[in-house]
Structures are given as structure tokens and as C-alpha cells.
Amino acid sequence: MELTGEIESIIYKNESNGYTIASMNIDNEEVVVTGYLPFVNSGDSLKVVGKFVIHPNYGEQFKVETFEKIMPQTEEALEKYLANGIIKGVGPATAKKIVKKFGKSTVQVMKMEPERLAEIKGITNSKAIEISESFVENWELWQIVSFLEKFGIGSESAQKIYKELGVDTINKIEEDPYILEDIGIRVDFAQIDKMALEIGIERNSLRRINSGIIHALNLASYNGHSCVLEPNLITYVVQLLGVSDEDVLDGLKDLKAKQRIYSEEREEMATVDGKTEMCIQIWIYLDSFYRTEVNIARKIKSLIESSNINRIPNLDAMITKVSDIIPSEKQKEAIKMINDNNVSIITGGPGTGKTTIIKTIIDLYKTIGKKTVLCAPTGRAAKRMTEATGEDAQTLHRLLEIRRIGDDSKPNPDMNVATIDANVVIIDEMSMVDMFLMNYVMNGIFKGTKLVMVGDVDQLQSVGPGRVLKDFIQSNEIPYIALNKIFRQAAKSKIIVNAHKVNDGINFIDEINPQEDEEIDDFEFVSELNIKNAQEKVLDSYSFDTQIITPTKKGELGTHTLNKLIQEKYNPENRKKNEKRFGSIIYREGDKVMQTKNNYDIEWTKGNGLKYEHGFGIFNGEMGTIYEIDSFNSQVQIKFEDGKIAVYEYSELEQIEHCFAITVHKSQGSEFDSVIMPILNAAPMLLTRNVLYTGMTRAKNKLKMIGNKKTVEYMINNVNSKKRNSGLKFKLECLMNEN
């Protein structure tokens, strides 16, 4: 359907992507419209195309698929548009004067004869020009959406494109559509390519081919790869663009000459014509990815080869002196390895003694007056480290004073970060550290500082590209110890024992025995084949001190559905509780929520008049409860688990989400006293051994698994986690073997 009318009011707008809910006057009837409507404000006249839908909570709405702004058709509507505050220098009074003076010629005067605005008392010549320029700028914004729509690029991308390219956006895109790929807009490359061909760019032009190559490398990075095999890259781009191998080779040469990509030759095992043999393979990198790997390898080598100025003499005697716990022989070996080397790695699953080693290292260096810094990639992982050691730990982002490294930021291998003031740096949860974050660590570390990396190599890989921990270990250039013995106390835990069985490929479900005398009754498996019944059992088992962890966001056992159902059952609508609708989500006082991105600027307070703290920054993964919703000031107060209270404007609510239930990926680095884990149906790519293992090891005292034994068995046997292409191992080996 096509509707034409005027926007009466904006109910909600996501400023980052333009998603809007608005009230629209159509033939004197109010219609609620929803969709991506960037640059739309109250008073605007729109032609919208879409369909009426029934929202389960809010009734009938018009879902907008495409829209077009049109100039207000009446003088009254025109005055309202000019008065809505988007035209610089024009308020309600000035808008009234302009429309009264020029009537139906107002638009013509504003666009083509701005000097005539000075005929109005109070408007100078310079102000007239300023008003006209602001009007024309907004006019161009109107055109951007409809211009991009012609090429299948939705309005949700229009706002980001405008932010990158500015007021001359349309001309810049018409001259070179591939600029959209250069600025990292995640739109379908085929749409950009179609636009380019329609405006006359040659099929085998270098600009088109180069953009196809860059697109292919970007696509690979979204899947965790830092590089792509040259023959595979050529095949993909040939199919993508419909050009010849020679055309793509010309593009590769051109991009190499411009240093936008790099190639790397490696001698490695490969299958050629059905035979597996050593041969030369060529790998292609985007510039920033190549330089990042080189920088990490060089700085790791520099650290390894620096003087061991923080070595502790008489180590055994010192351990006896400072440690309350007598380390095992394997733990002593790990402590000696750290003492003898500037860079070292400790890996192992739960209950294998990693924390004892960390605490002993802290005590050793504290005794001799040297500084140890503890850090982790996320806020929750840092919090868990603090709880386990009794020492302050912080996120790597805060430690390095990294600002605004968000999903949309371009990686910068040369970024300046804060220098880490420490004799020993211990990084926990290393499996979560991607190549760019590792690079920032290396940029901030002093020569001579000891770097100790601790992690569980069997957990999920980092969200960002690279496979840092695995590359370090497989290079055999960095000393490491794998802890594989479960300590006696930990061996009483069925959670820990069963998690290790999963890791070893053993189907523990069929081996669940009655509890023995020394065992801790901390694991329960509830068999359920029916999804609805499983859902009910999850809901009935939930309490506010329990965390639901599920492999998936989608489906009836996914986070979206479970969060809504938990809220309805355990924190339902109540006239004593304020709530705020944000898009399709209702936030209510008492809801559990999670911060989903690093926000270094948000202010927080903690404590009271006797012990009051104040600071800035809430980080990805921090969890809390909605403490108060203040509709008068359009603000939400959230009290986080560590006692911090932060105030969010309504426009900032996109940074949070409900966390009664979270995904396994979101749970990485966290530990919860009690966990409910539904395991039934999900996409096969999510039903893997390391997803199951990671989810199980988040539970500290109680794990209740609800689901299908067959699905659990499938996950245990499914070790096909995605292989990531990376060259960090190769670079480190080459550098360490140089004379």
C-alpha cells in the first residue's frame, strides 16, 4: 500500500541507524508507522510504501518498506516543517514570518533566492544565506534515501553513508559507487556493483576489480580470517564480477603497488591434483591485517629476547615463604617457566589450577616490591579475575585507554595506546583476544616486562578476526604449559568432570551415575524432547540468582523468546513499576540487563556519603538491574552488579539488552553461581563441542541442563569448528629463526 501524510510526532528513534516509530496523520486519522526512516522529523510530509501488520502488544501498525519525503503541500504544513528546529536559524516565530511573506513561493525563495529572506525584519544578509544553506542541506538528505533506494540500498544504511560522505553524498556516489565499499558500509556488494554498471563503469575496469577484491577480503574477515589463499580469492572474484583471471591478477598487482593489500609466500602442506605435499602457497591480506600480524610477531620476539630483568632468584625458597598453598609439581613447573621467560602461556580447563598459579605469581612479585597488573578482554572476565584472586583486575580497553573501538571502527595497527606500567602483565581469558586487541597490548608493553597469557584453548574463539592463542601455542616459539590434571577438590564437581569429558569426546549423559559420597551434587540433566515442554521447564526452574545460557538467539529456546517470557512471568506489568517501550522491547524497573558495547563516556556513581566513588565507563558484558525509569527526564537508572549506578538517556537504550537469558558467546569470560542450559534445537553451526563446553564451564555451583540427549551427543561429536586462516604463527616462526 502507498500512504501520504504528515509526521505528527516521533515516538521512538534509534539515532545510530534511523529506525523510527512515529505517529502519522493520514487524512485526519492517526496511523503508527514503523521502519527505517533516517532524517525524518515531526512536521515532515511523507509518501510511504509498505503494509499494515498487527503487533502482539501494540496492535495495528504500518510497516514501512520504502519512503519518500515530499515538500509540504499547504502553507500551514510548510510553516510547521520550517518551525520544527531542523533549519538552522529558524524557529516558530521566524517560520511564521517567512511563510507569511512568501506564501507558496517559500521553497523557491529558500532554494534559489536566499537574499530575499533579508527582506524580513530581523534577518540579516549573512543569516539569510545560513538559513538557505541549512534548508538545502536538509533538502539533499531527502534525496539520499530515494537515490539509494533505486539501487536496492535500504534506508537503514542511508544515515551511516551520509555521516561518512557529507552533504555532497549523491555526487560522490554517482562518480564512484565503490566508495561505499571503501568506507565499510555493509550493504550487498551486488547492489553497489549494479549501481556502478548502470552509470557506465566498465566491467573490467581496475576500479571495479579492485573493489571486488577488497570486498572479498572484508567478507573473509567477518568470518574470522586474516588472509585468503590467492587462488581461492581469484576464483571468488572472477565469479563475483564475471571477469577473467587475468583481470583479477591485474587488480592484485595494482592493489599491491598501492600497498592496500600484501601477499605472503609460505611453504606448507597442501593438496594439489589429489596429492598432499609441501608447496609454496600465496596468501593475500588487507594492509591493516598484514601489518597487525607483523607488529605482534616483532614485538613478541623483542619481549622474548629482552633481558629477564624481573627474574626472581631462589624461586623455590620464595614460593615456600609467600604461598599458603603448596603448588603441585606441574604448577611449580609453570611458575618456574614464568620466572625464566619474559613471555609464557598457561592453558587448561576448569579445576586444573590456573588461579593458584596466578595468585602465587602475584604474591611473589608483591613480596619483592614489583608491580603485577591483571587484565582480561571483557568487564565480566575482569570481575571474575578479581573475585578469584582478591586483586584488582581491569579490561584491556581501560588498561590501554583505548577509546571507542566499536563494531564500526576500522582497525588501526599503529594506534597509540597507554603504556602499561608494570613488571608483570597477566592476561586471562586469552581465547577471547583477537588480533587487533593483541596488537594494542603489544603497542603498550615495555621491553623487559613479563607477559603471562592464561586461557582455555578449547573454548570458543574470539569474536574478532585471528586465532591469537592457538597461533602462539602452535608456533612452539613461546614457552607454554597445558594443565590437564583436575585437582582433587575440583574432581568432586560433576560440572567440571563432565565438562572435561565433553572436551575429550566422551558422551557423559549416558554415564551419569548416582551421587557418590565425596561428589558434589552440582549437575542435573533433565531429558525433554518437546520444545514447548522444555521451555516451560526452563521458566519453572528460573530464579533471579540463576543465569540462563543458550546456544542461540532465535527460536523458542533462544534468548529473544526466553527474555520476553521470563519478564512476563517474573517481572510482569505492574502499576507500581515504571516502564519504557524502546522499539519492540519493553524495559521495566526490576529487569536484568546487559551492556552490549564499551561506553567510555557514561558517568557512574557508587556508594554513599561515607564512601563515595565516581567515574566513567560501562563495558561490554557488564550486567545489572533497572533501578529506576524516570519518564519526566527521559532517563533510565541501572544498578550494576558491582554497585555502580549509571544514568542512560532514552536514546542510549540501544546499548543494553535483557539478560535473563544470554547466548553462550555472550557468556564467555563470565562465571555464574547457577546456570540453566537448554539444549534442544538450533542451527548446526551453533551445536558444536566448544559451544557446549564453554556453556557448561560458566556454571560455578549448579548446572541444570534441559533438553535432548541426542542433541548433546551431536554437540560432543561435532568438532567442526570453523578453521580460521591466519599467518601469525608463520610470521613468529620466521622472525624467531632469523640470525
Side-chain angles (χ1 to χ4, degrees), residues 487-715:
F487 279 83
R488 188 171 183 274
Q489 184 62 31
K492 296 177 183 178
S493 165
K494 288 185 178 180
I495 297 172
I496 291 175
V497 170
N498 289 335
H500 281 274
K501 286 181 178 179
V502 167
N503 216 18
D504 293 335
I506 299 170
N507 184 4
F508 68 92
I509 294 293
D510 293 331
E511 297 184 359
I512 294 177
N513 299 313
Q515 183 184 345
E516 297 178 6
D517 289 343
E518 290 194 350
E519 284 186 336
I520 301 169
D521 187 19
D522 59 0
F523 179 88
E524 180 184 4
F525 182 83
V526 178
S527 180
E528 182 54 69
L529 303 181
N530 181 279
I531 291 180
K532 278 293 183 185
N533 290 343
Q535 190 183 76
E536 285 301 317
K537 286 177 179 177
V538 170
L539 295 178
D540 291 341
S541 302
Y542 179 79
S543 65
F544 271 85
D545 60 355
T546 300
Q547 184 60 55
I548 300 170
I549 298 177
T550 175
T552 180
K553 293 180 180 179
K554 299 177 181 178
E556 292 177 281
L557 291 172
T559 56
H560 295 325
T561 299
L562 289 175
N563 275 318
K564 184 178 178 184
L565 293 175
I566 291 290
Q567 184 196 45
E568 288 173 356
K569 182 169 182 175
Y570 291 94
N571 193 30
E573 185 178 358
N574 185 326
R575 61 186 180 83
K576 294 181 180 179
K577 290 186 176 183
N578 294 325
E579 58 184 50
K580 166 61 182 172
R581 178 159 63 97
F582 189 78
S584 61
I585 298 170
I586 294 174
Y587 289 111
R588 186 173 294 130
E589 290 172 348
D591 281 352
K592 285 177 65 175
V593 291
M594 173 188 280
Q595 178 79 10
T596 59
K597 59 177 70 173
N598 292 326
N599 184 335
Y600 295 88
D601 301 320
I602 194 165
E603 188 174 3
W604 55 261
T605 57
K606 186 177 180 180
N608 52 40
L610 298 175
K611 188 178 180 183
Y612 180 81
E613 294 179 56
H614 171 270
F616 293 88
I618 303 291
F619 301 104
N620 185 13
E622 291 197 56
M623 299 171 78
T625 303
I626 294 180
Y627 183 66
E628 181 184 358
I629 295 177
D630 181 354
S631 57
F632 181 79
N633 292 304
S634 300
Q635 292 177 336
V636 174
Q637 279 192 34
I638 299 173
K639 186 172 184 178
F640 288 89
E641 291 175 331
D642 59 358
K644 296 194 300 279
I645 295 177
V647 177
Y648 289 71
E649 302 296 329
Y650 281 175
S651 61
E652 296 176 307
L653 292 180
E654 60 174 338
Q655 300 177 29
I656 66 168
E657 62 184 28
H658 282 119
C659 66
F660 303 108
I662 60 176
T663 62
V664 175
H665 284 80
K666 284 283 187 184
S667 75
Q668 262 189 291
S670 301
E671 188 175 63
F672 306 94
D673 280 341
S674 179
V675 169
I676 300 169
M677 197 172 175
I679 300 290
L680 211 57
N681 293 331
M685 62 182 292
L686 297 172
L687 298 178
T688 63
R689 180 185 294 179
N690 59 0
V691 168
L692 180 62
Y693 173 76
T694 301
M696 291 177 68
T697 53
R698 301 310 91 201
K700 185 178 180 181
N701 295 320
K702 185 71 178 177
L703 172 62
K704 185 172 187 176
M705 196 177 288
I706 299 170
N708 186 350
K709 289 183 179 182
K710 293 284 186 186
T711 305
V712 175
E713 183 180 0
Y714 175 84
M715 294 179 80

Side-chain angles (χ1 to χ4, degrees), residues 319-320 322-332 335 356 360 487:
I319 291 173
T320 304
V322 305
S323 182
D324 295 331
I325 303 170
I326 300 174
S328 68
E329 289 305 312
K330 194 81 168 178
Q331 287 172 324
K332 282 183 181 177
I335 294 165
T356 297
T360 305
F487 279 83

Side-chain angles (χ1 to χ4, degrees), residues 359-597:
K359 289 170 78 171
T360 305
I361 291 296
I362 294 167
D363 291 340
L364 285 168
Y365 282 95
K366 193 183 285 186
T367 300
I368 62 173
K370 295 198 173 184
K371 184 177 179 182
T372 302
V373 164
L374 308 182
C375 49
T378 66
R380 286 197 63 82
K383 179 175 180 283
R384 182 182 176 189
M385 200 177 188
T386 296
E387 291 169 348
T389 64
E391 301 288 332
D392 285 338
Q394 54 190 312
T395 65
L396 286 167
H397 286 81
R398 182 174 284 287
L399 177 67
L400 298 166
E401 297 179 14
I402 300 171
R403 306 294 290 181
R404 297 174 183 84
I405 302 294
D407 295 337
D408 300 328
S409 299
K410 295 175 183 175
N412 178 8
D414 308 314
M415 177 184 285
N416 291 321
V417 296
T419 302
I420 304 172
D421 176 22
N423 301 100
V424 182
V425 175
I426 302 176
I427 305 175
D428 198 11
E429 297 291 350
M430 264 299 297
S431 63
M432 299 176 69
V433 177
D434 66 31
M435 60 188 291
F436 294 111
L437 188 52
M438 190 68 216
N439 183 59
Y440 301 143
V441 171
M442 300 316 300
N443 286 345
I445 207 162
F446 271 126
K447 269 189 178 183
T449 301
K450 281 188 182 292
L451 175 61
V452 182
M453 295 173 278
V454 183
D456 187 342
V457 77
D458 296 308
Q459 285 190 27
L460 292 169
Q461 297 188 82
S462 60
V463 175
R467 26 169 275 164
V468 176
L469 183 60
K470 285 186 177 179
D471 277 349
F472 281 165
I473 291 171
Q474 291 175 6
S475 72
N476 290 314
E477 301 296 343
I478 299 175
Y480 77 94
I481 281 181
L483 304 172
N484 47 30
K485 178 187 175 185
I486 306 175
F487 279 83
R488 188 171 183 274
Q489 184 62 31
K492 296 177 183 178
S493 165
K494 288 185 178 180
I495 297 172
I496 291 175
V497 170
N498 289 335
H500 281 274
K501 286 181 178 179
V502 167
N503 216 18
D504 293 335
I506 299 170
N507 184 4
F508 68 92
I509 294 293
D510 293 331
E511 297 184 359
I512 294 177
N513 299 313
Q515 183 184 345
E516 297 178 6
D517 289 343
E518 290 194 350
E519 284 186 336
I520 301 169
D521 187 19
D522 59 0
F523 179 88
E524 180 184 4
F525 182 83
V526 178
S527 180
E528 182 54 69
L529 303 181
N530 181 279
I531 291 180
K532 278 293 183 185
N533 290 343
Q535 190 183 76
E536 285 301 317
K537 286 177 179 177
V538 170
L539 295 178
D540 291 341
S541 302
Y542 179 79
S543 65
F544 271 85
D545 60 355
T546 300
Q547 184 60 55
I548 300 170
I549 298 177
T550 175
T552 180
K553 293 180 180 179
K554 299 177 181 178
E556 292 177 281
L557 291 172
T559 56
H560 295 325
T561 299
L562 289 175
N563 275 318
K564 184 178 178 184
L565 293 175
I566 291 290
Q567 184 196 45
E568 288 173 356
K569 182 169 182 175
Y570 291 94
N571 193 30
E573 185 178 358
N574 185 326
R575 61 186 180 83
K576 294 181 180 179
K577 290 186 176 183
N578 294 325
E579 58 184 50
K580 166 61 182 172
R581 178 159 63 97
F582 189 78
S584 61
I585 298 170
I586 294 174
Y587 289 111
R588 186 173 294 130
E589 290 172 348
D591 281 352
K592 285 177 65 175
V593 291
M594 173 188 280
Q595 178 79 10
T596 59
K597 59 177 70 173

Side-chain angles (χ1 to χ4, degrees), residues 193-396:
D193 196 42
K194 178 186 175 187
M195 187 191 308
L197 294 172
E198 285 183 5
I199 64 173
I201 289 179
E202 295 292 330
R203 295 191 69 83
N204 64 345
S205 70
L206 267 180
R207 182 66 179 110
R208 179 172 185 253
I209 291 163
N210 289 357
S211 190
I213 293 169
I214 297 297
H215 166 70
L217 292 171
N218 277 327
L219 204 59
S221 75
Y222 302 151
N223 290 313
H225 305 297
S226 67
C227 52
V228 177
L229 269 173
E230 186 180 68
N232 295 349
L233 179 63
I234 292 171
T235 299
Y236 179 83
V237 177
V238 164
Q239 293 174 349
L240 177 71
L241 302 180
V243 293
S244 68
D245 288 15
E246 290 72 22
D247 289 330
V248 180
L249 286 168
D250 287 342
L252 290 170
K253 289 176 187 174
D254 186 59
L255 288 169
K256 287 175 192 176
K258 293 172 179 172
Q259 295 188 335
R260 292 190 64 194
I261 65 170
Y262 284 84
S263 65
E264 179 174 79
E265 291 187 1
R266 304 181 208 158
E267 187 177 7
E268 52 195 11
M269 295 298 293
T271 302
V272 181
D273 297 328
K275 294 181 181 178
T276 302
E277 56 190 8
M278 290 294 291
C279 61
I280 300 297
Q281 301 259 64
I282 299 175
W283 294 87
I284 305 297
Y285 288 82
L286 288 168
D287 160 63
S288 59
F289 286 73
Y290 181 81
R291 290 192 294 117
T292 293
E293 286 189 351
V294 168
N295 191 55
I296 294 171
R298 284 177 178 166
K299 296 207 168 181
I300 285 286
K301 178 183 179 179
S302 177
L303 270 187
I304 289 172
E305 295 178 348
S306 297
S307 299
N308 190 356
I309 59 176
N310 290 306
R311 188 176 186 279
I312 298 173
N314 304 315
L315 182 66
D316 288 339
M318 283 292 291
I319 291 173
T320 304
K321 179 181 176 182
V322 305
S323 182
D324 295 331
I325 303 170
I326 300 174
S328 68
E329 289 305 312
K330 194 81 168 178
Q331 287 172 324
K332 282 183 181 177
E333 186 184 340
I335 294 165
K336 184 176 187 301
M337 173 189 72
I338 293 167
N339 192 47
D340 291 342
N341 298 277
N342 284 336
V343 185
S344 51
I345 297 171
I346 301 168
T347 69
T352 56
K354 300 190 296 292
T355 301
T356 297
I357 295 169
I358 293 172
K359 289 170 78 171
T360 305
I361 291 296
I362 294 167
D363 291 340
L364 285 168
Y365 282 95
K366 193 183 285 186
T367 300
I368 62 173
K370 295 198 173 184
K371 184 177 179 182
T372 302
V373 164
L374 308 182
C375 49
T378 66
R380 286 197 63 82
K383 179 175 180 283
R384 182 182 176 189
M385 200 177 188
T386 296
E387 291 169 348
T389 64
E391 301 288 332
D392 285 338
Q394 54 190 312
T395 65
L396 286 167

Side-chain angles (χ1 to χ4, degrees), residues 67-87:
F67 79 96
E68 178 185 348
K69 276 196 180 186
I70 55 178
M71 189 52 68
Q73 301 299 302
T74 66
E75 291 182 18
E76 182 184 2
L78 184 57
E79 181 184 326
K80 188 174 180 181
Y81 166 71
L82 294 177
N84 69 7
I86 62 168
I87 307 299

